[in-house]
Amino acid sequence: MDDLTLVQRFSVWLLPVLFAITLHEVAHGWIASRLGDNTAKSLGRLSLNPLRHIDPVGTVLVPGLLLAFGGFIFGWAKPVPVDWGRLRHPRRDMALVAVAGPGANLIMALGWAILLRLAMELPESLDYMALPLGLMGKAGVTINSVLMVLNLLPIPPLDGSRVVSTLLPLRAAIQYSRIEPYGFWILLILIYTDILGRIMVGPLLLVQHLVYTVVGLGGGA
């Protein structure tokens, strides 16, 4: 995609980024509603309309700047509210709600990979359709793989930390949760020092390899 203009790159990445970020949050709220907490549902946050979930900074500004200036693209939507106390089994269900977001990203990555394969199989006479669809499919696999791996890191308040909390003894989980106010700054430091990229590259390549293999693209595209 390096030879695309900035406008073309925005066109290719817009839908994959919007859906990757917003459906991640919808998945959290939907699973929470199935497990006893209807907070997100009552606030209209189970809608597939991206406008209900867009965060001006996390959904628009940050991905846009990363796209314009390089680096791996990620972002976030307005977090879906979950009242852990309303869940039927709070500690267990907290983990299920947490993994729903990355799980949704995995499903979307597979969907975009299928689109990419279909684009690659279009006849040459339809190249004008195949190229944009293929680029969008590849972008969809990339952004969803990044969000899946990133959110499974055990850094509060990322989803991985919710899973870790359920595995720890209660007292240790309470101590662990106290890191949460500093989580954003920890991520910024990891990004600035490129430690985050080094942590993520192996799992990210593995996820993408598995996604492409499942849809019959031989582990790569």
Side-chain angles (χ1 to χ4, degrees):
M1 297 189 193
D2 292 339
D3 56 343
L4 298 180
T5 67
L6 184 58
V7 172
Q8 288 172 327
R9 276 188 284 167
F10 270 107
S11 299
V12 165
W13 284 89
L14 180 61
L15 286 180
V17 169
L18 276 180
F19 283 110
I21 293 173
T22 58
L23 293 184
H24 176 103
E25 293 299 330
V26 171
H28 286 315
W30 186 77
I31 291 297
S33 71
R34 303 291 293 180
L35 297 175
D37 175 33
N38 286 319
T39 304
K41 184 177 182 180
S42 66
L43 295 174
R45 294 297 306 279
L46 300 190
S47 170
L48 297 180
N49 180 1
L51 295 178
R52 290 185 175 271
H53 308 281
I54 286 176
D55 178 279
V57 175
T59 317
V60 180
L61 181 61
V62 170
L65 290 175
L66 290 173
L67 182 60
F69 296 107
F72 73 86
I73 297 174
F74 72 98
W76 60 89
K78 290 188 295 185
V80 165
V82 177
D83 185 343
W84 306 112
R86 293 185 177 183
L87 298 172
R88 286 188 283 272
H89 305 282
R91 294 203 73 195
R92 183 205 68 183
D93 293 350
M94 180 171 67
L96 296 176
V97 171
V99 299
N105 289 127
L106 178 59
I107 292 171
M108 284 186 279
L110 289 166
W112 287 110
I114 291 171
L115 177 65
L116 174 58
R117 178 171 179 176
L118 292 175
M120 294 171 66
E121 294 180 353
L122 288 175
E124 290 186 7
S125 60
L126 296 177
D127 276 353
Y128 67 95
M129 291 177 54
L131 180 59
L133 288 177
L135 290 173
M136 192 174 292
K138 194 168 186 178
V141 172
T142 300
I143 182 60
N144 279 286
S145 299
V146 167
L147 288 183
M148 177 186 170
V149 173
L150 177 66
N151 278 283
L152 286 175
L153 294 177
I155 302 172
L158 297 179
D159 299 324
S161 70
R162 309 296 188 196
V163 178
V164 170
S165 290
T166 65
L167 300 176
L168 292 173
L170 183 57
R171 180 172 296 182
I174 293 171
Q175 294 294 326
Y176 178 59
S177 67
R178 290 177 179 171
I179 304 172
E180 186 163 335
Y182 312 103
F184 181 73
W185 299 107
I186 293 172
L187 280 175
L188 285 182
I189 292 170
L190 293 177
I191 292 170
Y192 180 76
T193 58
D194 197 36
I195 293 174
L196 183 64
R198 293 198 294 270
I199 291 172
M200 289 184 58
V201 64
L204 188 57
L205 290 175
L206 176 61
V207 169
Q208 291 183 350
H209 176 83
L210 291 174
V211 166
Y212 286 130
T213 298
V214 167
V215 301
L217 288 176

